[in-house]
Coordinates of all heavy atoms in Angstrom, one line a residue:
R2 N -27.8 -46.6 2.5 CA -28.1 -47.0 3.9 C -28.9 -48.2 3.9 O -29.6 -48.6 3.0 CB -28.9 -45.7 4.6 CG -28.1 -44.6 4.7 CD -28.9 -43.4 5.4 NE -29.2 -43.7 6.8 CZ -28.4 -43.4 7.7 NH1 -27.3 -42.7 7.4 NH2 -28.6 -43.7 9.0
G3 N -29.0 -49.0 5.0 CA -29.6 -50.2 5.2 C -31.2 -50.0 5.3 O -31.6 -48.9 5.5
P4 N -32.0 -51.0 5.1 CA -33.4 -50.9 5.0 C -34.0 -50.7 6.3 O -35.2 -50.1 6.2 CB -33.8 -52.4 4.4 CG -32.7 -53.3 4.8 CD -31.5 -52.4 4.7
M5 N -33.4 -50.9 7.4 CA -34.0 -50.6 8.7 C -33.7 -49.2 9.1 O -34.2 -48.6 10.1 CB -33.6 -51.6 9.8 CG -34.1 -53.0 9.5 SD -35.9 -53.1 9.2 CE -36.5 -52.6 10.8
D6 N -32.8 -48.6 8.5 CA -32.4 -47.0 8.8 C -32.2 -46.4 7.6 O -31.0 -45.9 7.3 CB -31.3 -47.0 9.7 CG -31.2 -45.6 10.2 OD1 -32.0 -44.8 10.1 OD2 -30.0 -45.2 10.8
P7 N -33.1 -46.4 6.5 CA -32.8 -45.7 5.2 C -32.7 -44.2 5.2 O -33.0 -43.6 6.2 CB -33.9 -46.2 4.4 CG -35.1 -46.3 5.5 CD -34.5 -46.8 6.7
S8 N -32.5 -43.7 4.1 CA -32.4 -42.1 4.0 C -33.8 -41.5 3.8 O -33.9 -40.3 4.1 CB -31.6 -41.8 2.7 OG -30.3 -42.4 2.9
G9 N -34.8 -42.3 3.5 CA -36.1 -41.5 3.1 C -37.2 -41.9 4.0 O -37.1 -42.6 5.0
L10 N -38.3 -41.1 3.7 CA -39.5 -41.1 4.5 C -40.7 -41.2 3.6 O -40.7 -40.3 2.7 CB -39.6 -40.0 5.4 CG -40.7 -40.1 6.6 CD1 -40.1 -41.1 7.6 CD2 -40.8 -38.7 7.1
R11 N -41.6 -42.1 3.6 CA -42.7 -42.1 2.7 C -44.0 -41.7 3.5 O -44.2 -42.1 4.7 CB -43.0 -43.6 2.2 CG -44.0 -43.6 1.1 CD -44.3 -45.1 0.7 NE -45.0 -45.8 1.9 CZ -45.8 -46.9 1.6 NH1 -46.0 -47.4 0.5 NH2 -46.4 -47.4 2.7
L12 N -44.7 -40.8 2.9 CA -46.0 -40.6 3.5 C -47.2 -40.3 2.4 O -46.8 -40.1 1.3 CB -45.9 -39.3 4.4 CG -45.4 -37.9 3.8 CD1 -45.9 -36.8 4.6 CD2 -43.9 -37.8 3.7
G13 N -48.4 -40.3 2.9 CA -49.4 -40.0 2.0 C -50.8 -39.5 2.6 O -50.7 -39.4 3.8
T14 N -51.7 -39.3 1.7 CA -53.0 -38.5 2.2 C -54.1 -39.3 2.2 O -55.2 -38.7 2.5 CB -53.1 -37.4 1.2 OG1 -53.2 -37.7 -0.2 CG2 -51.9 -36.3 1.3
P15 N -54.3 -40.6 1.9 CA -55.6 -41.3 1.9 C -56.2 -41.3 3.2 O -57.4 -40.9 3.3 CB -55.2 -42.7 1.6 CG -54.0 -42.6 0.8 CD -53.2 -41.5 1.4
A16 N -55.6 -41.6 4.3 CA -56.4 -41.6 5.6 C -56.9 -40.3 6.1 O -58.0 -40.1 6.6 CB -55.5 -42.2 6.7
V17 N -55.9 -39.2 6.0 CA -56.5 -37.9 6.5 C -57.5 -37.3 5.7 O -58.2 -36.6 6.1 CB -55.2 -36.9 6.6 CG1 -54.3 -37.4 7.8 CG2 -54.4 -36.9 5.3
T18 N -57.5 -37.7 4.4 CA -58.5 -37.3 3.4 C -59.8 -38.0 3.8 O -60.9 -37.3 3.9 CB -58.2 -37.5 2.0 OG1 -56.8 -36.9 1.8 CG2 -59.2 -36.9 1.0
T19 N -59.7 -39.2 4.1 CA -61.0 -39.9 4.5 C -61.6 -39.1 5.9 O -62.8 -39.2 6.0 CB -60.6 -41.4 4.9 OG1 -60.3 -42.0 3.7 CG2 -61.8 -42.0 5.6
R20 N -60.8 -38.7 6.7 CA -61.3 -38.1 8.0 C -61.8 -36.6 7.6 O -62.4 -36.0 8.5 CB -60.1 -37.9 9.0 CG -59.8 -39.2 9.7 CD -58.8 -39.1 10.8 NE -59.2 -38.5 12.0 CZ -58.7 -38.5 13.2 NH1 -57.5 -39.1 13.2 NH2 -59.2 -38.0 14.2
G21 N -61.6 -36.1 6.4 CA -62.2 -34.8 5.9 C -61.2 -33.7 5.9 O -61.6 -32.6 5.7
M22 N -60.0 -34.0 6.1 CA -59.0 -32.9 6.0 C -58.8 -32.5 4.6 O -58.9 -33.1 3.7 CB -57.6 -33.4 6.7 CG -57.7 -33.7 8.1 SD -56.3 -34.2 8.9 CE -56.8 -34.9 10.4
G23 N -58.3 -31.1 4.6 CA -58.2 -30.5 3.3 C -56.9 -29.7 3.1 O -56.0 -29.9 4.0
P24 N -56.8 -28.8 2.3 CA -55.6 -27.9 2.0 C -55.1 -27.3 3.3 O -53.9 -27.3 3.5 CB -56.0 -27.1 0.9 CG -57.1 -27.6 0.2 CD -57.9 -28.4 1.2
D25 N -55.8 -26.7 4.0 CA -55.5 -26.0 5.3 C -54.7 -26.9 6.2 O -53.6 -26.7 6.8 CB -56.5 -25.3 6.0 CG -57.0 -24.0 5.2 OD1 -56.4 -23.5 4.2 OD2 -58.3 -23.6 5.5
E26 N -55.4 -28.2 6.3 CA -54.7 -29.1 7.2 C -53.3 -29.8 6.6 O -52.4 -29.9 7.4 CB -55.6 -30.3 7.5 CG -56.8 -29.9 8.4 CD -57.9 -29.1 7.7 OE1 -58.1 -29.2 6.5 OE2 -58.3 -28.2 8.4
M27 N -53.3 -29.7 5.4 CA -52.0 -30.3 4.7 C -50.8 -29.2 5.0 O -49.7 -29.6 5.3 CB -52.3 -30.4 3.2 CG -53.2 -31.4 2.9 SD -53.0 -33.1 3.5 CE -54.3 -33.0 4.7
Q28 N -51.4 -27.8 5.0 CA -50.2 -26.9 5.3 C -49.7 -27.0 6.8 O -48.6 -26.9 7.1 CB -50.9 -25.5 5.1 CG -51.2 -25.1 3.6 CD -50.0 -24.7 2.9 OE1 -48.9 -24.5 3.3 NE2 -50.2 -24.5 1.6
A29 N -50.8 -27.4 7.6 CA -50.4 -27.5 8.9 C -49.5 -28.7 9.2 O -48.6 -28.7 10.1 CB -51.7 -27.5 9.9
I30 N -49.8 -29.7 8.6 CA -49.2 -31.1 8.7 C -47.7 -30.8 8.2 O -46.7 -31.3 8.9 CB -49.9 -32.1 8.0 CG1 -51.1 -32.5 8.7 CG2 -48.8 -33.3 7.9 CD1 -52.1 -33.4 7.8
A31 N -47.6 -30.2 7.1 CA -46.2 -29.8 6.6 C -45.4 -28.9 7.6 O -44.2 -29.3 7.8 CB -46.2 -29.1 5.3
R32 N -46.1 -28.1 8.3 CA -45.3 -27.2 9.3 C -44.8 -28.2 10.5 O -43.7 -28.1 11.0 CB -46.2 -26.2 9.8 CG -46.4 -25.1 8.7 CD -46.9 -23.7 9.3 NE -48.3 -24.0 9.9 CZ -49.4 -23.8 9.1 NH1 -49.4 -23.5 7.9 NH2 -50.6 -24.1 9.7
I33 N -45.8 -29.0 10.9 CA -45.4 -29.9 11.9 C -44.2 -30.8 11.6 O -43.3 -31.0 12.3 CB -46.6 -30.8 12.3 CG1 -47.7 -30.0 12.9 CG2 -46.2 -32.0 13.3 CD1 -49.1 -30.7 13.1
I34 N -44.3 -31.4 10.4 CA -43.2 -32.3 10.0 C -41.9 -31.5 9.9 O -40.8 -31.9 10.4 CB -43.6 -32.9 8.7 CG1 -44.7 -34.0 8.8 CG2 -42.2 -33.6 8.0 CD1 -45.3 -34.4 7.4
G35 N -41.9 -30.4 9.3 CA -40.7 -29.4 9.3 C -40.2 -29.2 10.6 O -39.0 -29.3 10.9
E36 N -41.0 -28.8 11.6 CA -40.6 -28.6 13.0 C -39.9 -29.7 13.6 O -39.0 -29.7 14.3 CB -41.6 -28.0 13.8 CG -41.1 -27.6 15.3 CD -42.1 -26.8 16.0 OE1 -43.2 -26.5 15.6 OE2 -41.8 -26.8 17.3
V37 N -40.7 -30.9 13.4 CA -40.1 -32.1 14.1 C -38.8 -32.5 13.5 O -37.9 -33.0 14.2 CB -41.2 -33.3 13.9 CG1 -40.5 -34.6 14.2 CG2 -42.4 -33.0 14.6
A38 N -38.6 -32.2 12.1 CA -37.4 -32.6 11.5 C -36.2 -31.9 12.1 O -35.0 -32.2 12.1 CB -37.5 -32.6 10.1
R39 N -36.5 -30.6 12.6 CA -35.5 -29.7 13.0 C -35.3 -29.8 14.6 O -34.4 -28.9 15.0 CB -35.7 -28.3 12.6 CG -35.6 -28.1 11.1 CD -35.8 -26.7 10.7 NE -37.2 -26.2 10.8 CZ -38.0 -26.4 9.7 NH1 -37.7 -26.7 8.5 NH2 -39.4 -25.9 9.9
T40 N -36.0 -30.6 15.2 CA -35.7 -30.7 16.8 C -35.6 -32.1 17.2 O -36.2 -33.0 16.8 CB -36.9 -30.0 17.5 OG1 -36.6 -29.9 18.9 CG2 -38.2 -30.7 17.3
E41 N -34.7 -32.2 18.3 CA -34.6 -33.5 18.9 C -35.0 -33.4 20.5 O -35.1 -34.3 21.3 CB -33.2 -33.9 19.0 CG -32.6 -34.3 17.7 CD -31.1 -34.7 17.6 OE1 -30.9 -35.8 18.3 OE2 -30.3 -34.1 17.1
D42 N -35.6 -32.1 20.7 CA -36.2 -31.9 22.2 C -37.4 -32.8 22.5 O -38.4 -32.5 21.9 CB -36.4 -30.4 22.3 CG -36.6 -30.1 23.7 OD1 -37.7 -30.6 24.3 OD2 -36.0 -29.2 24.3
Q43 N -37.1 -33.8 23.3 CA -38.3 -34.6 23.7 C -39.5 -34.0 24.3 O -40.6 -34.4 24.1 CB -37.9 -35.8 24.5 CG -36.8 -36.7 23.9 CD -37.4 -37.4 22.7 OE1 -38.5 -38.0 22.8 NE2 -36.8 -37.3 21.5
Q44 N -39.2 -33.0 25.1 CA -40.2 -32.2 25.7 C -41.1 -31.5 24.7 O -42.3 -31.5 24.7 CB -39.7 -31.2 26.7 CG -40.8 -30.4 27.5 CD -40.3 -29.4 28.5 OE1 -39.2 -29.6 28.9 NE2 -41.2 -28.4 28.8
R45 N -40.4 -30.9 23.7 CA -41.1 -30.2 22.6 C -41.9 -31.2 21.8 O -43.1 -30.9 21.4 CB -40.1 -29.4 21.7 CG -40.7 -28.7 20.6 CD -41.8 -27.7 20.9 NE -42.7 -27.1 19.8 CZ -43.9 -26.9 19.8 NH1 -44.7 -27.2 21.0 NH2 -44.5 -26.4 18.8
L46 N -41.4 -32.2 21.5 CA -42.1 -33.3 20.7 C -43.4 -33.8 21.5 O -44.3 -33.9 20.9 CB -41.2 -34.5 20.4 CG -40.0 -34.3 19.6 CD1 -39.3 -35.6 19.4 CD2 -40.5 -33.9 18.2
G47 N -43.2 -33.8 22.8 CA -44.4 -34.2 23.6 C -45.6 -33.1 23.6 O -46.7 -33.4 23.5
E48 N -45.0 -31.8 23.7 CA -45.9 -30.7 23.5 C -46.6 -30.8 22.1 O -47.8 -30.5 21.9 CB -45.2 -29.4 23.7 CG -44.8 -29.3 25.0 CD -43.8 -28.0 25.2 OE1 -43.5 -27.5 24.1 OE2 -43.4 -27.7 26.3
M49 N -45.8 -31.1 21.1 CA -46.5 -31.2 19.8 C -47.5 -32.2 19.6 O -48.5 -32.2 18.8 CB -45.3 -31.3 18.7 CG -44.4 -30.2 18.5 SD -43.2 -30.3 17.3 CE -44.3 -30.2 15.8

């Protein structure tokens, strides 16, 4: 796929760790990403 719409997504933990987040928050973030990936509902995304 082209560079402006590639297949992948890069993410990392430096900034959220700086804010003091830990393992519990990482679990929560993973759940959020998983739910977002499975929905296109704009209202639900706004609620999230």
Side-chain angles (χ1 to χ4, degrees):
R2 300 176 63 89
M5 296 307 294
D6 190 19
S8 300
L10 197 75
R11 186 188 70 157
L12 60 157
T14 55
V17 291
T18 305
T19 293
R20 288 183 75 168
M22 297 185 193
D25 290 345
E26 288 73 36
M27 298 307 107
Q28 294 282 352
I30 291 169
R32 288 193 296 272
I33 290 166
I34 292 172
E36 181 172 351
V37 170
R39 290 187 287 269
T40 183
E41 297 182 58
D42 187 301
Q43 293 299 308
Q44 180 176 343
R45 177 57 187 144
L46 293 175
E48 293 169 353
M49 292 185 71

